Amino acid sequence: LTIDRNAFYGALKRVALLASDKSKTLRMSLVDNRLMIQSLGSDQGEAAESLEVSQKGPDITLGFSAKFLLEVI
């Protein structure tokens, strides 16, 4: 997977704003050279961002803590 770091960081920050306060969990789906980032479990609404990526390998969907990802990027 190859992705623009600044675009990824910005998308994470925007989507994390509407993730639930408790877990800040995000779902990331990698399908056909697109990374979809979605907020989960928020009473305030939902957010989603889609980024173009260079994908080598199978499609996959994973959940991550937005807080953790933002700290390591």
Side-chain angles (χ1 to χ4, degrees):
L1 173 67
T2 304
I3 189 169
D4 179 272
R5 180 187 177 276
N6 291 328
F8 183 50
Y9 184 81
L12 285 175
K13 284 188 76 164
R14 289 187 295 275
V15 174
L17 289 173
L18 288 181
S20 79
D21 289 336
K22 186 176 180 181
S23 65
K24 292 288 187 196
T25 302
L26 302 179
R27 176 185 296 139
M28 294 195 295
S29 301
L30 182 61
V31 179
D32 296 331
N33 293 314
R34 301 286 311 165
L35 178 66
M36 176 65 80
I37 306 167
Q38 299 171 296
S39 64
L40 300 176
S42 175
D43 295 334
Q44 302 168 347
E46 296 181 4
E49 291 263 346
S50 180
L51 300 172
E52 193 169 321
V53 298
S54 176
Q55 175 184 352
K56 293 181 183 177
D59 296 345
I60 190 167
T61 299
L62 300 167
F64 286 99
S65 163
K67 181 179 176 183
F68 174 76
L69 285 174
L70 289 167
E71 285 178 5
V72 297
I73 294 177

